[in-house]
Amino acid sequence: MTEVRERIIVVDDIATNLSIAKSALSDKYDVFTAPSGEKLLLLLGKLTPDLILLDIEMPEMDGYDVIKILKSSEKTMHIPVIFLTGKINPEHEVKGLNLGAVDYITKPFSRELLLKRIDLHVLFERQKQELLKHNLTLEGEVEKKTKTVMELQSAILKAIAELVECRDNVTGDHIGRTQHSLSLLIGLMLDNGVYIEELSALDIPLLVMSSQLHDVGKISIKDSILMKRGKLDPDEFEEMKKHTIYGVDIIRKIESNTTENDFLHYAEICAGTHHERWDGTGYPNGLKGEDIPLQGRLMAIVDVYDALVSDRPYKSAFEHQEAIRIITESLGTQFDPIIGKVFVDNHLEFMDIEKVTSG
């Protein structure tokens, strides 16, 4: 296998210096020479070196002018530049380093010293490139593992949600529809500039995924209540209301056994607050207005809308327009009026949710 040699361009207006540098470096590197900054720029159109040795004192375009051009181009800004100079001046050295040079070599230089200095910088660049490759590999692995964790979390949530639906067999794909509606509503709010600051503080994909557990507490509700045909009596209704509390308890038990609980935190909020009301008459905690977390206020609207347009043991499904009328009349009492207005103003977009989720 042929060894890949690093390429070095030496730029100097004195031919002797070019000859000495090429002779010193050619045994280990592919060396190219340029007698001026203009010639270097032309040469860079044909090849990209691993390092540039650049003389400072050149006519027409000096080394400082050249490095400014190199560092302003995406193609050449990462090429290490070592200045060659016949004058030792701390101020000039600082100027060159500030412009992006990695080192200075004074002229006249010995072959051995030049080679050692170049070897050092080439080794540094090799290690830097290896580190960059390693970091990119690690980032790829982290991204892959993160995706796997998210897929696993989503699968677990879906399995638990389906378990709830197996018991509450009248809900159909209630969880899938509310999840889709939630995503749609959030998108509409962002488009309309509603609660932008609050939404930007949330991990929206995680919130939408976690919303599948908003009714998980129904697992703890007795079959005689959960699947009762007809209206619940007051005692039964009080027991049914506890599904919010049961849901929070279930999620907290899961949280206590895992460190990956961001998605569970969102799920806990959705489960515990989606039946709170804007006017403070909801349950389980009687929260009012913006004391209700945004997740709960969002969930409340999509949850009620789906309940209205779906068959339930105690009622037949309402037509879409009737459901919108009921929600409109409840803005400012049951629902956040700002979120509710976005929903009502765009209600036609929610009509085909069932087709989307079942298709």
Side-chain angles (χ1 to χ4, degrees):
M1 180 172 155
T2 306
E3 180 184 359
V4 178
R5 289 158 51 108
E6 281 82 2
R7 296 183 291 188
I8 298 173
I9 298 180
V10 185
V11 187
D12 199 305
D13 61 320
I14 299 175
T16 302
N17 289 334
L18 293 178
S19 178
I20 293 172
K22 186 166 186 176
S23 175
L25 302 174
S26 291
D27 286 345
K28 294 185 68 173
Y29 305 106
D30 290 337
V31 182
F32 303 84
T33 60
S36 67
E38 293 86 346
K39 295 292 185 182
L40 167 66
L41 297 177
L42 290 174
L43 186 57
L44 289 172
K46 302 176 183 177
L47 64 91
T48 301
D50 297 285
L51 188 145
I52 296 173
L53 285 172
L54 178 61
D55 186 26
I56 294 178
E57 297 88 10
M58 295 185 293
E60 297 182 13
M61 184 186 292
D62 66 19
Y64 297 131
D65 293 330
V66 174
I67 196 171
K68 288 177 184 177
I69 295 173
L70 296 178
K71 296 304 177 182
S72 67
S73 169
E74 185 70 29
K75 180 181 178 182
T76 57
M77 65 189 305
H78 301 296
I79 301 172
V81 175
I82 297 177
F83 273 135
L84 299 174
T85 180
K87 299 177 181 179
I88 301 175
N89 185 317
E91 290 184 3
H92 289 175
E93 289 190 18
V94 170
K95 178 181 178 181
L97 294 172
N98 286 337
L99 289 172
V102 297
D103 200 359
Y104 269 83
I105 295 178
T106 56
K107 298 185 292 185
F109 43 75
S110 69
R111 298 162 62 94
E112 293 78 9
L113 177 61
L114 178 64
L115 184 58
K116 288 292 184 184
R117 297 284 282 276
I118 298 303
D119 284 347
L120 179 64
H121 283 285
V122 167
L123 176 61
F124 174 74
E125 284 302 312
R126 283 178 187 166
Q127 292 174 336
K128 187 170 76 173
Q129 292 304 317
E130 286 298 319
L131 182 59
L132 287 172
K133 290 179 182 177
H134 181 64
N135 286 341
L136 286 174
T137 300
L138 285 178
E139 287 177 7
E141 287 298 317
V142 169
E143 186 176 342
K144 183 195 267 185
K145 289 183 183 298
T146 300
K147 183 180 178 183
T148 300
V149 169
M150 290 291 288
E151 289 174 349
L152 178 59
Q153 289 175 346
S154 183
I156 292 171
L157 292 178
K158 186 172 177 59
I160 296 173
E162 287 177 350
L163 178 61
V164 176
E165 289 196 336
C166 285
R167 294 196 63 231
D168 186 11
N169 56 19
V170 299
T171 61
D173 192 28
H174 168 71
I175 292 170
R177 291 192 301 270
T178 53
Q179 187 181 21
H180 192 89
S181 295
L182 178 62
S183 179
L184 176 57
L185 179 57
I186 291 173
L188 290 168
M189 290 169 63
L190 291 172
D191 291 342
N192 286 275
V194 174
Y195 287 129
I196 292 294
E197 186 175 347
E198 292 86 344
L199 287 171
S200 65
L202 301 176
D203 186 327
I204 292 172
L206 208 58
L207 167 59
V208 173
M209 182 179 73
S210 302
S211 70
Q212 296 176 88
L213 290 187
H214 73 276
D215 273 338
V216 68
K218 288 184 177 180
I219 291 176
S220 299
I221 301 296
K222 298 175 182 177
D223 286 350
S224 60
I225 295 175
L226 190 64
M227 294 183 284
K228 180 179 179 180
R229 308 297 298 182
K231 192 173 181 179
L232 301 177
D233 65 35
D235 290 339
E236 290 169 335
F237 183 58
E238 287 302 315
E239 179 62 23
M240 177 63 87
K241 286 163 62 175
K242 291 180 182 177
H243 80 275
T244 54
I245 299 171
Y246 297 151
V248 170
D249 289 343
I250 290 168
I251 294 167
R252 285 179 178 173
K253 286 177 182 177
I254 300 172
E255 283 182 293
S256 68
N257 291 298
T258 177
T259 56
E260 296 290 337
N261 58 13
D262 284 348
F263 76 106
L264 290 172
H265 175 67
Y266 283 120
E268 179 184 330
I269 295 173
C270 287
T273 64
H274 70 287
H275 283 293
E276 299 288 355
R277 292 172 55 107
W278 184 256
D279 62 7
T281 62
Y283 60 89
N285 296 311
L287 301 178
K288 184 177 182 179
E290 292 189 4
D291 287 340
I292 306 168
L294 182 59
Q295 300 95 311
R297 284 178 274 148
L298 290 165
M299 200 72 225
I301 291 182
V302 298
D303 186 52
V304 168
Y305 170 73
D306 189 72
L308 289 172
V309 298
S310 302
D311 287 324
R312 293 295 168 92
Y314 51 87
K315 71 165 192 67
S316 298
F318 289 116
E319 293 293 330
H320 171 78
Q321 291 295 343
E322 177 63 9
I324 297 304
R325 183 192 65 77
I326 293 171
I327 289 174
T328 301
E329 291 180 352
S330 301
L331 300 185
T333 53
Q334 184 169 359
F335 306 116
D336 181 326
I338 299 175
I339 298 175
K341 187 175 187 305
V342 174
F343 184 91
V344 171
D345 288 348
N346 298 275
H347 67 89
L348 293 177
E349 297 198 36
F350 294 86
M351 285 187 67
D352 294 328
I353 292 294
E354 185 171 3
K355 294 178 183 177
V356 173
T357 55
S358 62

